[in-house]
Amino acid sequence: MAIPQTFIQELLDRTDVVEVVGRYVTLKKGGANYMGLCPFHGEKSPSFSVSPTKQFFHCFGCGKNGNAIGFLMDHAGMNFVEAVKDLAQNAGMQVPEEDVSPQDRERAAQARQKQTTLTEVLEKAGEAYRKHLKSSPQAIAYFKNRGLSGEIARQFGLGYAPDGWRTLASVFPDYQDPLLVESGMVITQQEGEDDEKRYDRFRDRVMFPIRNIKGECIGFGGRVLGDGTPKYLNSPETPVFSKGRELYGLFEARQAMRDLGYALVTEGYMDVVALSQLGFANAVATLGTACTGDHIQKLFRFTDNVVFAFDGDSAGRRAAKKALDGALTFASDVRSIKFLFLPSEHDPDSYIRTFGKDAFAHAVTEAVPLSRMLIEVAREGCDLLSAEGRAHLASNAKPMWMALPDGALKRQLLGEIAGLCELGTNELQDLWIPLSPNAKRSFDFKKKPRTWTRGTRQIPAGRADHAARVLLSNMEIWQELSGEDHDLLCSLVPPHGPLFVWIDHQHHEHGSLSWAALLEGLRGNECEALATRVMATSFANTLDDSDPTKVQDSGHDKHAKDARQELRSILQKMLLENLDAQMKQAIENSQSDPTALTRYKALYERRKQIGNAPT
Ligand SMILES: [Zn+2]
């Protein structure tokens, strides 16, 4: 669903980031801003600051920053649409859903209602399983044997489903309720015309409730206590539970992923609980499926670093390959994705018990990075001593390399693959890119997008940063600049030139936007990194002189006036430098080009005009 940017802007205008953050973090007024303990990294004294004037939060400890939407996405684990809906509800606004018919809306409302009802059924079942655990010595013994404390069992809501066909009948008075079947807790079996058999899905199993990111129970995993089969049994797919999207332990691991700086993806729920007990509370597990792109995208909402742990056997290698395929499109330059292979006789739990915590932490740091994994997978079974074998490697590597987002990692890998194939980097690039017109558009070293071709002007990065900062915080100034100014800024070398081109487009389409609204438009854009970096600095600067008297309403006018002057003086320097360079060129050309002298005179006049203008 595409939400119009005008709506987002209005929504952010009506939202107070202090109130939104304040729902999750205790904030205290300090000067012009509010301070609190950062929810994104562990700290004892507050370095997390929220600015009511900028509608922005920023942590001086870990650098995390953003607007109200970003906060809900990063901290509360919502996706973009969820965050917008949440804020809209608070602001009493209706998110425009133009392409949705009233019938569809009604259907969506019913589906939401059903989901709530289903999670209530599942919560109730989970509660019953927890009670049963207390009176089941063999289930308690099972968890104790795995080294789990009562505290960890409580934290993960572990339980026990007793051995009996209709144990849940004591929890749900109406065992015929269709919701019990829909939630996956009860199985029906048709026996003859009108005879239907109903019984509990989970019997004589230790139970692991599976929670969604809000902490609601959406399903169960159950491990058999005796020798029965299957050893592990999950809830079926239901309106609230989809194996391909959910990760076991994500809700419990959120904070630890931030504290430890990475997420550890394991293969089973027992691994997750055991690892948490052993000090690695940042572990999650897929639910009996390979790791999908959806899983990985979900993880990257909480951390930039993901380590997959696999058994060293051939099944583990296969699972690792699938995880690699799922991860490729997310492997941007700021993220790290690694693969940890344990000795085949070990799972993470037994590894830590045998070799200790430190050995495991060390193994994590030594895990195979995605780049090496890609090469290893590509060269598998290829004889690099023959031309055929090297060509085979190239054809194996191509789809994986194509899936990577553009960036430094992708370019280095091209060189590395070319080296292994005994080809030049350009040769391999020519071989791969012309074949696919789509790839050419998204990835081409030689030809920059058309608007950047002028991007040859270089000025000190600090000055370009400064200009970007002024315009991102006072976008209305853009329309006051001359065409000459626009050209100067847009023709800067990347990353600055493309950012000014982007600002120009935004201004054409939406007029002046606040920084909070611009930030939304930047999400996923190539200019996002530069823009957030320069704005983070701006935010830090305003905190240095946190004189509370400065945040009067007239403060903005004064600020905007200062900003105009700052920008004018930067542009002035740029214009002069530009003219000087052109004049120098004209002199050099005057020997062979008779028009060069006329051009020189015109440039000289312009130079005099600007140089004398008051700054
Ligand atoms: Zn922080």
Side-chain angles (χ1 to χ4, degrees):
M1 184 178 71
I3 301 172
Q5 196 165 3
T6 45
F7 176 82
I8 307 275
Q9 194 194 353
E10 198 186 336
L11 175 62
L12 287 167
D13 279 348
R14 289 211 219 160
T15 297
D16 183 8
V17 71
V18 178
E19 185 272 318
V20 175
V21 174
R23 283 192 242 154
Y24 301 86
V25 180
T26 312
L27 295 171
K28 279 210 182 85
K29 188 114 177 54
N33 298 298
Y34 289 80
M35 302 291 294
L37 291 173
C38 177
F40 299 104
H41 82 280
E43 63 175 10
K44 298 246 155 54
S45 62
S47 50
F48 179 79
S49 161
V50 185
S51 159
T53 44
K54 292 204 179 243
Q55 284 298 307
F56 208 63
F57 69 87
H58 180 87
C59 173
F60 294 95
C62 65
K64 201 90 180 169
N65 61 66
N67 61 16
I69 296 177
F71 184 84
L72 288 179
M73 291 173 73
D74 290 342
H75 182 67
M78 300 182 189
N79 65 30
F80 179 73
V81 174
E82 286 164 354
V84 168
K85 284 191 171 158
D86 182 284
L87 294 178
Q89 201 178 1
N90 279 337
M93 291 168 74
Q94 177 76 39
V95 180
E97 296 181 66
E98 289 149 39
D99 43 357
V100 176
S101 69
Q103 292 93 323
D104 283 349
R105 206 170 301 162
E106 175 64 19
R107 222 170 291 141
Q110 277 171 4
R112 269 197 299 277
Q113 181 54 44
K114 158 113 330 141
Q115 286 174 351
T116 315
T117 321
L118 286 177
T119 51
E120 278 164 12
V121 168
L122 292 161
E123 287 286 356
K124 211 167 161 188
E127 223 171 273
Y129 292 147
R130 282 192 285 280
K131 263 189 209 138
H132 287 303
L133 176 62
K134 287 184 188 145
S135 50
S136 164
Q138 74 273 34
I140 294 174
Y142 173 81
F143 286 132
K144 281 206 167 145
N145 277 339
R146 302 299 302 260
L148 301 188
S149 67
E151 193 189 330
I152 286 284
R154 261 192 304 283
Q155 195 187 324
F156 283 87
L158 305 183
Y160 172 66
D163 194 9
W165 289 100
R166 289 182 167 221
T167 310
L168 288 175
S170 63
V171 188
F172 301 97
D174 179 11
Y175 197 72
Q176 299 303 313
D177 188 342
L179 280 173
L180 291 182
V181 177
E182 251 183 285
S183 63
M185 300 313 292
V186 163
I187 294 174
T188 55
Q189 219 169 40
Q190 208 67 37
E191 304 228 309
E193 283 277 308
D194 325 287
D195 199 12
E196 187 204 55
K197 221 172 101 186
R198 282 181 168 237
Y199 54 92
D200 290 5
R201 178 180 302 270
F202 297 99
R203 302 176 310 277
D204 194 23
R205 284 173 185 270
V206 285
M207 299 297 288
F208 300 76
I210 302 161
R211 291 164 175 158
N212 66 12
I213 203 61
K214 292 183 218 153
E216 297 161 341
C217 182
I218 52 171
F220 290 93
R223 190 203 185 278
V224 76
L225 267 188
D227 296 324
T229 52
K231 197 163 158 192
Y232 294 98
L233 181 67
N234 288 331
S235 284
E237 300 279 311
T238 71
V240 291
F241 178 57
S242 159
K243 281 197 270 273
R245 280 206 296 273
E246 301 298 338
L247 287 158
Y248 177 72
L250 188 59
F251 176 72
E252 291 82 357
R254 288 187 307 171
Q255 191 55 45
M257 286 195 289
R258 283 176 190 133
D259 295 344
L260 294 169
Y262 69 97
L264 186 62
V265 186
T266 62
E267 295 186 284
Y269 11 86
M270 200 52 224
D271 284 335
V272 172
V273 181
L275 279 166
S276 183
Q277 171 85 57
L278 293 167
F280 295 88
N282 56 335
V284 298
T286 53
L287 293 151
T289 64
C291 203
T292 65
D294 283 341
H295 287 136
I296 294 166
Q297 190 171 25
K298 216 169 214 183
L299 282 173
F300 278 128
R301 286 205 222 145
F302 299 95
T303 175
D304 281 332
N305 306 301
V306 172
V307 177
F308 294 101
F310 297 101
D311 301 346
D313 58 10
S314 57
R317 296 297 298 192
R318 273 198 305 279
K321 239 184 203 169
K322 287 201 178 137
L324 172 69
D325 282 337
L328 287 167
T329 48
F330 303 101
S332 67
D333 290 348
V334 295
R335 290 175 177 156
S336 144
I337 299 166
K338 288 181 172 182
F339 300 82
L340 170 65
F341 294 99
L342 296 169
S344 54
E345 68 276 20
H346 281 297
D347 56 30
D349 178 26
S350 70
Y351 187 93
I352 298 172
R353 286 181 197 287
T354 312
F355 302 106
K357 251 179 91 165
D358 293 346
F360 185 75
H362 182 71
V364 165
T365 62
E366 302 272 273
V368 180
L370 176 130
S371 58
R372 206 164 88 225
M373 186 69 193
L374 187 154
I375 300 275
E376 276 176 24
V377 167
R379 70 186 290 171
E380 213 171 76
C382 301
D383 170 19
L384 297 192
L385 296 175
S386 76
E388 286 83 353
R390 292 191 293 271
H392 194 192
L393 183 156
S395 87
N396 288 344
K398 185 181 169 187
M400 295 190 278
W401 183 83
M402 287 290 195
L404 289 169
D406 192 11
L409 178 69
K410 185 171 195 169
R411 294 179 189 208
Q412 290 174 73
L413 267 168
L414 185 72
E416 201 171 321
I417 297 165
L420 286 168
C421 301
E422 297 187 11
L423 290 169
T425 307
N426 289 339
E427 261 178 310
L428 186 61
Q429 183 197 326
D430 288 345
L431 187 68
W432 279 0
I433 292 170
L435 291 178
S436 157
N438 289 334
K440 189 172 183 108
R441 234 173 287 131
S442 65
F443 186 77
D444 192 336
F445 298 162
K446 289 175 185 162
K447 210 167 141 281
K448 295 265 189 303
R450 206 173 58 80
T451 39
W452 296 14
T453 46
R454 301 172 295 157
T456 51
R457 288 185 35 74
Q458 244 161 337
I459 60 162
R463 206 186 293 166
D465 278 1
H466 197 157
R469 194 178 306 137
V470 169
L471 284 163
L472 287 169
S473 25
N474 308 272
M475 196 174 168
E476 68 278 6
I477 301 181
W478 185 257
Q479 66 204 356
E480 300 161 15
L481 300 180
S482 68
E484 191 181 31
D485 295 334
H486 288 165
D487 282 348
L488 268 174
L489 291 169
C490 291
S491 67
L492 290 173
V493 291
H496 293 91
L499 177 62
F500 291 114
V501 171
W502 183 82
I503 292 176
D504 186 45
H505 284 198
Q506 293 300 305
H507 195 271
H508 272 288
E509 281 174 40
H510 311 289
S512 300
L513 298 175
S514 66
W515 163 237
L518 282 172
L519 190 64
E520 281 325 310
L522 277 166
R523 212 175 280 288
N525 186 286
E526 57 177 345
C527 305
E528 185 181 3
L530 170 66
T532 48
R533 178 177 63 74
V534 300
M535 289 307 284
T537 332
S538 131
F539 194 64
N541 288 344
T542 60
L543 283 173
D544 287 341
D545 53 9
S546 49
D547 172 4
T549 56
K550 271 198 173 171
V551 283
Q552 304 304 328
D553 272 355
S554 63
H556 180 259
D557 295 340
K558 181 177 173 295
H559 177 71
K561 204 172 139 217
D562 290 348
R564 274 189 186 82
Q565 277 170 6
E566 281 171 25
L567 185 65
R568 195 65 260 155
S569 94
I570 294 167
L571 284 165
Q572 173 86 350
K573 287 195 190 99
M574 286 172 61
L575 281 172
L576 291 176
E577 280 167 3
N578 191 29
L579 286 166
D580 287 346
Q582 286 188 49
M583 281 157 68
K584 197 169 155 234
Q585 191 67 46
I587 300 266
E588 278 168 18
N589 291 352
S590 62
Q591 305 275 333
S592 54
D593 179 2
T595 64
L597 214 57
T598 332
R599 198 162 66 246
Y600 177 85
K601 278 187 187 141
L603 290 166
Y604 179 80
E605 284 307 312
R606 178 79 181 119
R607 174 79 170 74
K608 228 168 76 185
Q609 203 182 350
I610 297 175
N612 293 340
T615 56

